[in-house]
Amino acid sequence: MAAPNKKWWKKSVVYQVYWRSFCDSDGDGYGDLEGVIRKLDYIRELGVDIVWLNPVYESPDLDNGYDISDYEAIMRKAGTMETWERLLTEVHRRGMKLMMDLVVNHTSDRHPWFIESRSSRDNPKRDWYIWKDAKDGKEPNNWRSYFSPSAWEWDEATGQYYFHSFAPEQPDLNWRNPEVREAIYRMMTFWLDKGVDGFRLDAIALLAKPDDFPDADRPEDIRYLTNNPGLHDYLREMNERVLSRYDVVTVGEAAFVTPEEGLKFVGEDRRELDMLFHFEICDEMPGWDMIRFKQIQRRWYAGLWGKGTNSQFLNNHDHTRQVTRYGNDGPYRVQSAKLLATMLHTLPGVPYIYQGEEIGMTGVRFDSIEDYNDIAMINRYAEEVGKGRDPMEVFRELQALSRDNSRTPMQWDDSPNAGFTTGTPWIRVNPNYLEINAAKDRSSPDSVYRYYQELIRLRKEHDVMAYGDFEEWPEWMDDERLYVYTRSLDGVRWLILLNHSDEPVPFEWPERVRSLTLRLLLANYPPRGDESERTATLRPHEARIYELLDDARR
Ligand code: TEU
C-alpha cells in the first residue's frame, strides 16, 4: 500500500489534559491553567509533542465545559486569558504544540446567541438554533438525545421546541444558517490568530440535521443524530475559510462512523480534517474482545492507509480507563498497562495518551450516586429510577461506564488528595493513589511511565512506527489471546508480539522467520534466557517489539 505523506503531526504523540482534574494551583479544588503550566515539564519529559486541552471557555460548566457561553473568554475556574496566553507560550517554549478542544455543534443555553434566539419568534437570531412547532401537541419527533429522553425541549415563552443532541442546556446551533457558520469561523480565526496549533472538534459528526426530522424506528439507537447530509459541505467550507490558512492540525470526534464514512472526514484529497476519533471500540466494544478489535483495526487500516490518518486510543475523559476496562487492573496492572501502550503506539495511527494513563491509573467505584458528577450518568440514573426501577440496581449498572471513571484527579504523589489540590477536590480522588502515583512511577526504572517514555523515544527515532505498512501474521489472525503483526518501511521490519491474556501462551516461530535475526527493541518483561529458536512462551500480558534483520542488514 502507498505510504502516507509526511506531515509534522503524523509522527507526533498527543497528550490529553483534562485540566479540571490535572493540577490545582490555588486550592479551590479544581485543576486550572496555572496548574497545567506547572506540570508542563512532566508532560515534556514524557516526550509528548501535542497537548490537547479540554474546553476552557466561559461556561456554566454543567457538562464540564462542553456547554460554552462565551467562546472568546476563559472560564473562571480555569484562570484568565492572561494565564491561557502564558500557557501557550510555555507550551511553545518547550517545543510542543497546543490543541484546543472546540465545541461548535452546540452552545450553552446561557450563550447570548441562545438568550436572544429564545427571546421571541421574530428575533434576528431565532434561526441560529433549531426551533420547531409541536406535532399533535407533542415533540416534533421521537428522537432521544445523548443525555436525556428527548432531543426536544419545550420553550413556554415562545411556544416552540428547540433541538439538543446532548442536555437541554446544550441547544444545537443551526449550521444551515450562513450567519452561524460565519460567526463560528470568525471565532476559530480569533484563536488561530492567537497562535493555537489546532483543534479537537467535539461531536463533529452531528453538525448537519435532516430536512424533516422523521421518527426513528428504534429511538434508542441514536445514530440518527450523526452523519446527516450536508455535514461534509460544512467541513469543507470550514477548511477553506479557516483551517487551510494556517499550519494546524485537527482531529474530529466522529461518532458512529465506519471506515468508509471516516475517509470522508480525513481523506487528504478532500480537505476537511486531518485525523479522527472513531468510536467502534469505545462506544461499541464494552469489554475486551480480541477478535473484534483485530477486525476493527484491519478494516480501518484498509480504509484509511495512505489516504488519511486514524487515531489510536482506548480511553479519554468520556471512557473508562483502559487498564480497567480493556486490560487487567489487578495483579497484572503494570504489565497490562504497558501492553496496551505497546499496542496503541505500534498500530497505524497517531497515539493519544489520556492523563494518568502513562502511570497506569485505574477506574473507580464510589459508594453512592452522590459521589458522582457526570451529567450523562446522573440524568440516566434519574430516568431509570423514575421508571420505578431499583435505585441500587441502576447505580451498579451505570458505575462501570460512568464517565467519572476517568475524571478522578491525577495522582501525583502520596500526599493528601494525591498532590492534586490542597483544598477539597471537586471529585473524589481514587483511593489507590498511595500505590499508583506519578512520583513513584518516575523514580522506578521499570514503571509504566518509563515504558511510555521508551515507546515515544522509539517513535521519534524510527519512521517505521508512524509510516510503516501494517501486516498481521496470518497464523494468529483468529487467536483470542495473541496479537502478532509487523510494521515495515523501506526494508525496516518490526514485529510486535502481544499476549493480551492472564495466562502464559506458547508461541511457535513460523518457519519463514527462523533464518532471521531478532533484535529485541522493547519489552515489558525482562528477556528470558531459555528460549529456543523455535518456540517461546509469552507471559501474561507480555509485549515485545523486535526488529527483524535478514543477513544483509544484520
Ligand atoms: O462527547 C460526544 C459523545 O457523544 C460522547 O459522549 C460519546 O460517548 C462518544 O465518545 C462519541 O460517540 C463530547 C465530549 O467528549 C463530551 O465530554 C461532551 O459531554 C459531549 O461531547 C457534549 O459536548
Side-chain angles (χ1 to χ4, degrees), residues 208-457:
K209 319 293 182 217
D211 281 334
D212 45 353
F213 288 98
D215 270 339
D217 295 337
R218 294 179 50 240
E220 64 280 11
D221 182 356
I222 57 170
R223 265 159 224 272
Y224 43 71
L225 294 174
T226 60
N227 302 305
N228 283 303
L231 167 61
H232 294 284
D233 298 328
Y234 301 145
L235 293 178
R236 251 195 310 277
E237 185 183 77
M238 180 192 283
N239 185 294
E240 191 187 307
R241 298 287 310 283
V242 187
L243 301 170
S244 60
R245 296 168 191 244
Y246 299 82
D247 181 19
V248 289
V249 61
T250 51
V251 56
E253 190 204 28
F256 303 125
V257 297
T258 58
E260 296 69 42
E261 282 288 331
L263 190 59
K264 295 187 190 156
F265 291 79
V266 298
E268 287 176 9
D269 54 347
R270 293 178 54 91
R271 302 183 182 282
E272 295 187 20
L273 304 178
D274 295 320
M275 296 183 257
L276 89 166
F277 298 128
H278 73 75
F279 289 89
E280 289 197 351
I281 302 161
C282 283
D283 276 352
E284 298 170 42
M285 196 178 95
W288 187 254
D289 179 341
M290 180 58 104
I291 303 292
R292 186 158 168 195
F293 183 80
K294 286 176 180 172
Q295 281 163 353
I296 293 172
Q297 293 297 334
R298 225 173 273 151
R299 286 176 39 247
W300 279 89
Y301 179 71
L304 292 195
W305 194 247
K307 301 182 214 140
T309 306
N310 200 358
S311 315
Q312 292 292 351
F313 71 102
L314 288 174
N315 55 197
N316 60 29
H317 63 294
D318 293 330
H319 295 283
T320 303
R321 290 189 171 280
Q322 62 195 35
V323 71
T324 295
R325 185 176 182 195
Y326 293 132
N328 180 316
D329 67 1
Y332 294 113
R333 182 185 67 84
V334 171
Q335 291 85 349
S336 173
K338 291 178 183 175
L339 176 137
L340 293 171
T342 313
M343 190 171 75
L344 293 175
H345 287 244
T346 58
L347 282 169
V350 169
Y352 282 69
I353 302 170
Y354 176 63
Q355 70 183 40
E357 174 191 320
E358 76 282 8
I359 56 168
M361 274 177 64
T362 67
V364 77
R365 287 190 183 248
F366 293 134
D367 304 329
S368 97
I369 189 77
E370 314 298 323
D371 293 322
Y372 287 85
N373 179 285
D374 170 16
I375 186 174
M377 179 186 193
I378 290 171
N379 286 5
R380 179 57 80 119
Y381 177 83
E383 185 184 341
E384 295 300 315
V385 172
K387 291 179 190 159
R389 290 187 54 198
D390 172 33
M392 207 49 187
E393 182 188 304
V394 176
F395 175 61
R396 295 266 174 255
E397 225 170 71
L398 296 176
Q399 237 180 352
L401 294 184
S402 164
R403 302 193 299 177
D404 287 343
N405 276 294
S406 52
R407 296 179 178 185
T408 60
M410 177 71 188
Q411 292 162 209
W412 292 108
D413 54 39
D414 59 9
S415 69
N417 293 319
F420 162 69
T421 179
T422 53
T424 308
W426 70 275
I427 184 170
R428 282 174 55 195
V429 174
N430 191 321
N432 65 14
Y433 72 91
L434 294 173
E435 186 210 332
I436 303 170
N437 63 64
K440 187 172 161 194
D441 245 47
R442 268 159 53 102
S443 61
S444 145
D446 292 329
S447 65
V448 180
Y449 181 91
R450 294 282 168 216
Y451 193 86
Y452 268 85
Q453 275 183 322
E454 286 302 302
L455 273 172
I456 298 173
R457 186 182 55 75

